[in-house]
Amino acid sequence: DAGVTQSPTHLIKTRGQQVTLRCSPKSGHDTVSWYQQALGQGPQFIFQYYEEEERQRGNFPDRFSGHQFPNYSSELNVNALLLGDSALYLCASSWDRDTDTQYFGPGTRLTVL
Amino acid sequence: AQTVTQSQPEMSVQEAETVTLSCTYDTSESDYYLFWYKQPPSRQMILVIRQEAYKQQNATENRFSVNFQKAAKSFSLKISDSQLGDAAMYFCAYRSIKRGANSKLTFGKGITLSVRP
């Protein structure tokens, strides 16, 4: 049973560019949440997708957007990259948005130069 | 808004010994979930243990157990018989029990645990 997968593993971009990160949830899961983890900090909630709609959003600007596909996979898009966007981006999935436990992927390390 | 505080940035334990990691939280809700996650250098966030606030009994998973003090809003993790593979960053996290809109996890800043051979 495949767990949560994310791609790419690492990514290097320059300021002002746009980036797309991808996540495939654990088999049987239909809800995907995205978190940003700055170096040495705990993850911060970006948003959650359920039934192909954004259901909940954290305190992140509109430059952060996402999408969920019919197969429950998800993308995180960040426009107009800033140096401060450099972080580990984690995807977590659950079988229901009300289920208490979220399972995390290995993350994508984004470096903005 | 809920907050989670982990005030110890680093801890160290001798292999085979016991260590306790501290966590406090603040919430106005009466029912919620609490979690401990482990993040090794590989970056994968792994669930260690979960606790439902409405349960009196402290959760236990093999060598891992919690001391949940609801009135004090304290949720500590005890690791018994520490192993080298326990070395990692540990995060305490909170989740509302409310259905629908509040399923996000709120994390503390984490604590780095090292295990001495």
Side-chain angles (χ1 to χ4, degrees), chain A residues 9-10 35 37 40-43 45 48 56 88 90 97-102 104-107 109, chain B residues 33 35 37 39 42-45 47 50 89 91 95 98-105 107-109:
Chain A
T9 304
H10 297 90
Y35 294 82
Q37 185 179 16
Q41 300 295 315
F45 175 76
Q48 183 184 79
Q56 192 181 2
L88 179 68
L90 296 168
R97 63 176 176 156
D98 295 316
T99 303
D100 55 289
T101 302
Q102 296 180 15
F104 284 82
R109 172 71 67 191
Chain B
Y33 298 108
F35 305 86
Y37 280 90
Q39 188 178 42
S42 66
R43 307 179 326 199
Q44 183 101 34
M45 193 78 77
L47 178 66
R50 60 187 283 275
M89 199 154 184
F91 292 95
R95 182 197 181 280
K98 291 179 182 177
R99 298 185 68 81
N102 289 304
S103 53
K104 70 175 184 179
L105 290 169
F107 286 87
K109 288 188 175 181

Side-chain angles (χ1 to χ4, degrees), chain A residues 80-101:
Chain A
L81 284 167
L82 303 174
L83 295 179
D85 295 332
S86 295
L88 179 68
Y89 288 85
L90 296 168
C91 168
S93 74
S94 56
W95 68 268
D96 178 276
R97 63 176 176 156
D98 295 316
T99 303
D100 55 289
T101 302

Side-chain angles (χ1 to χ4, degrees), chain B residues 40-89:
Chain B
S42 66
R43 307 179 326 199
Q44 183 101 34
M45 193 78 77
I46 301 164
L47 178 66
V48 175
I49 200 164
R50 60 187 283 275
Q51 174 81 44
E52 296 93 337
Y54 54 86
K55 288 188 178 178
Q56 300 281 355
Q57 188 172 5
N58 288 326
T60 300
E61 287 287 341
N62 301 315
R63 298 182 296 108
F64 300 88
S65 62
V66 299
N67 183 7
F68 172 50
Q69 301 291 327
K70 190 173 182 179
K73 295 181 182 176
S74 171
F75 183 61
S76 61
L77 175 69
K78 185 172 82 171
I79 306 175
S80 304
D81 185 26
S82 295
Q83 301 175 0
L84 295 177
D86 295 333
M89 199 154 184

